Amino acid sequence: MSRILVVEDESIVGLDMQSRLQRLGHDVPAVASTGAQALELAAGIQPDLVLMDIMLPGEMDGVEAADLIRQRHSVPVVFLTACADEKTLEQVKIAGHFGFILKPFVERELLSTIEAVLRRHQGELGRQNAPGELEHRVGEHTAELSRLNDDLIAQARGHERAAADLQVRYEQGQVLYRLSDGLARAETTETMFQEALDALGALNYDRASIRLVERGKLVFKAWRELSERFRQSLSRPPSWPAAAGKSEPVLIHDVGLADAGLREAAAAAGLGSAAFLPLCYAGTVYGEVGVYGEWPHPFEAEEMQLLQSVANHVEFAIGRKMALDEKSELESQRRNSQKMDALGQLAGSIAHDFNNVLTVITGYTELVSEAIGKDDPLYDDIRAINDAGERGAMLTGRLLTF
């Protein structure tokens, strides 16, 4: 159903056309009798088509009114005229409208003309809107392609980051593998310390140290890029916070907020952060691995896992060496004990035999001294031999007791 505005100066003709069009299924809300009224109604009802009488009363005829309606509302206009002379046709041609219907007309002619004009008008609108619609669709597709391109770029960057992370993790794993291998081959603690410092250097911790607890103090045993002044001035008691029965690392994100001793030492060395990871053996902390940063630095969980892995490797290697040293010491003590046992048995056996010899000597000297008497010049010599034998028996007695 189309909305049609009828412009007819003869009211009876206008009402008749309104009735016919409504009977044919169209909506005809109003009938105008002048050009000015037609312009006003067209602005209000927004018709799909205007049936315009050429000859209208007043200053504005139908052709002029039709031009204004088309300019303002882009509505097709079909002229109604009772005159088919050359002048009238020329006016319609010059105006460039969709056509005209001669009065009087029949309904079938009126209906077919209206349908043809509406189809033609829709075709023109489609052609007029086609560039804009095409541009709109091109814009939509361009926006969609741009969005897809952005998504692809984001995915590519994500893959690049993931690949970079994997590469970093691979390199870190290689460092830990080399550290484990080097510690297993090391024969001295000094070599172990150097392996650990080299691994920390490969992980971009240029400044690092290993300190051990000796006589209640932390003593530097190995270090990288730490001045003697810093090592001499750094003073921190050998204590670490405990959690779940295990000593935890000491993290100093900003040495400017640390205790006075560390703050002064770090300021002199140009350091801004530090982390100390305890080394334990048999439940006792015996030292620490320390790393130092030039600027304040928040030690994140992933970074601490890496540092803890290094400390664990060092802790295991040194702990294994300490266990081997303890085993060697125990073995040495066992051998010494066996030697002492053997020596004791030998001494007891010798003392027993020697005691038997001394018993014979002291016995015979007693018999000789009684036989010769005190007046005999050899009596005192015999008694001296007897006394010496008794003293020897006392010594062998002690050996037997031992």
Side-chain angles (χ1 to χ4, degrees), residues 113-170:
T113 302
I114 289 173
E115 290 177 352
V117 169
L118 288 174
R119 282 196 301 270
R120 179 182 169 190
H121 179 63
Q122 289 298 324
E124 286 192 358
L125 287 178
R127 287 190 294 274
Q128 291 174 2
N129 294 333
E133 184 177 355
L134 179 60
E135 183 178 355
H136 176 69
R137 291 184 179 179
V138 169
E140 287 183 342
H141 287 301
T142 302
E144 179 67 13
L145 290 174
S146 177
R147 185 186 65 79
L148 292 174
N149 185 56
D150 291 341
D151 291 343
L152 288 174
I153 292 175
Q155 291 179 9
R157 289 176 178 171
H159 291 319
E160 289 177 359
R161 287 193 296 269
D165 290 342
L166 286 175
Q167 180 65 26
V168 169
R169 291 179 182 274
Y170 171 77

